[in-house]
Amino acid sequence: LQFTEEKLGQAEKTELDAHFENLLARADCTKNWTEKILRQTEVLLQPNPSARVEEFLYEKLDRKVPSRVTNGELLAQYMAEAANDFGPGTPYGKTLIKVGETQRRLGAAEREFIHSASINFLTPLRNFLEGDWRTISKERRILQNRRLDLDACKARLKKAKAAEAKAAVT
């Protein structure tokens, strides 16, 4: 009732401290930017949306995400197979072997980067959103309910004093 009356402008609302309001605004801003950065980093690390959904499901089921071959590793594999077809002794075969080995190392480095970024960057962001932010939201709701209770009590007290004053006059 108090909340509705406040929204309709029929009841007074106790204002929170300006510093506290600033902290709440900063917390909201932090949450919004953290979500955006988390989503975009996930897109950068895994551009394939269906693979991201699959990884998300594995994560929610607490299962290990199967290891995927990176594009560099796949290219390296193709180059090695092509080098064997052309013959490792031919100039083209030798070149394919060298470039393929370099691509394999690049693919392994990419895999390590994705793994490292996931653990060292994405995990703290997720921990904030799933842990700290939930706590902040819960405490904010509790504070809002307490404030509404306080304002409702103030309104009842005001009505009681007005009724008492009216009874004293008559």
Side-chain angles (χ1 to χ4, degrees), residues 89-131:
T90 64
Y92 189 43
K94 286 180 187 176
T95 303
L96 284 173
I97 289 172
K98 283 183 183 178
V99 175
E101 181 58 29
T102 303
Q103 281 297 329
R104 188 192 58 74
R105 288 196 311 263
L106 283 171
E110 179 184 7
R111 179 194 311 273
E112 178 58 33
F113 169 73
I114 290 169
H115 179 71
S116 175
S118 177
I119 289 173
N120 299 321
F121 185 71
L122 294 180
T123 300
L125 295 180
R126 282 192 192 102
N127 289 343
F128 167 74
L129 291 172
E130 294 171 2

